[in-house]
Amino acid sequence: MELWIATGNAGKLKEFQLQLKEIADLKLHVQSEIPGFTPRPEDGQTFLDNARIKARTLKAVRPGVWILGEDAGLEVTGLGHFPGIHSARYAGPKASDSENVAKLLKMMQIRHVADRSARFVCTTVVFTPAGEEWVFTGELKGQIAKVPSGQLGFGYDPVFIPEGETKTLAELGPGYKIQHSHRAQALKQFIQKLRGSL
Ligand code: IMP
């Protein structure tokens, strides 16, 4: 089976590769393999809108194959659920992961945020070769650490401590994420539905 992934995020791609390994005979492709592929701006109002934009843009140039688009982000309770759908660009249109993390910690400090609870959210849209749309969601609850720690993972992993843990996702590493993350939960539902449909 051939599955095309609509992402330009290397951190996410590594997690997709690890998680989807359990599907027998899976050949993963990524949008960057398509010469001249230009992603459309993620200008939706929700994670679902943006996951659809990614999946549909890829489907337009690769019709009739399995397509997976995903949008994810971090919602911090004390920041009114920000950065949410703006997570990738929180510190600016070309912000790096460390700039986004620095802005998050700065905003929490400036606003004297006492409630550091947060959650990662993931919405995954899959198009089957017949064009049917499947939607899966996942969340991971936790707390925002006061300082970043850990080298593993990407994005806000160095400041996210999952519920029931004392270490950040960037310390816990990919083994933890493929079991428990928001993305893992959505992908497990996809794998289950795929097995039922093949
Ligand atoms: P997207 O590619 O538009 O979905 O951007 C998602 C952004 O949310 C990423 O660039 C990260 O900043 C953040 N994010 C999403 N999932 C994760 C995760 O699993 N760990 C850390 N940050 C994440």
Side-chain angles (χ1 to χ4, degrees):
M1 163 183 170
E2 221 179 87
L3 173 67
W4 282 78
I5 307 274
T7 190
N9 181 317
K12 280 187 184 182
L13 184 60
K14 267 191 210 152
E15 292 183 15
F16 285 128
Q17 284 164 334
L18 270 179
Q19 190 102 38
L20 295 171
K21 261 202 311 218
E22 62 176 276
I23 305 175
D25 299 324
L26 178 73
K27 193 156 173 10
L28 272 193
H29 292 279
V30 67
Q31 61 190 31
S32 57
E33 290 172 37
I34 303 170
F37 181 84
T38 316
R40 262 187 53 204
E42 291 169 36
D43 52 8
Q45 300 299 306
T46 63
F47 291 109
L48 177 59
D49 288 345
N50 287 336
R52 274 197 181 121
I53 288 172
K54 293 177 201 178
R56 284 181 180 159
T57 309
L58 187 51
K59 185 172 163 15
V61 290
R62 280 290 179 278
V65 298
W66 289 93
I67 304 272
L68 186 152
E70 186 250 38
D71 201 55
L74 177 69
E75 297 182 343
V76 180
T77 311
L79 289 177
H81 308 290
F82 252 69
I85 57 167
H86 309 286
S87 294
R89 296 163 297 280
Y90 192 37
K94 294 204 168 136
S96 65
D97 284 348
S98 54
E99 288 166 341
N100 284 331
V101 166
K103 168 145 184 197
L104 181 77
L105 294 178
K106 192 170 158 197
M107 293 304 287
M108 292 181 76
Q109 196 185 15
I110 291 172
R111 297 197 185 170
H112 304 290
V113 170
D115 179 358
R116 305 188 75 84
S117 65
R119 66 173 191 155
F120 273 119
V121 183
C122 166
T123 300
T124 299
V125 168
V126 171
F127 285 114
T128 70
E132 196 184 332
E133 183 192 77
W134 296 349
V135 176
F136 308 99
T137 58
E139 71 163 0
L140 179 65
K141 291 183 179 167
Q143 294 281 325
I144 302 301
K146 295 209 165 125
V147 287
S149 10
Q151 302 294 323
L152 308 165
F154 69 96
Y156 299 90
D157 284 347
V159 285
F160 190 90
I161 304 172
E163 224 168 57
E165 303 292 340
T166 53
K167 292 182 173 176
T168 68
L169 282 175
E171 293 173 302
L172 292 165
Y176 182 90
K177 283 190 84 179
I178 65 163
Q179 286 302 321
H180 304 286
S181 81
H182 46 309
R183 186 163 300 102
Q185 289 173 34
L187 288 179
K188 281 178 188 175
Q189 293 163 41
F190 165 51
I191 293 168
Q192 200 178 3
K193 176 138 184 172
L194 183 66
R195 287 198 171 125
S197 78
L198 291 177

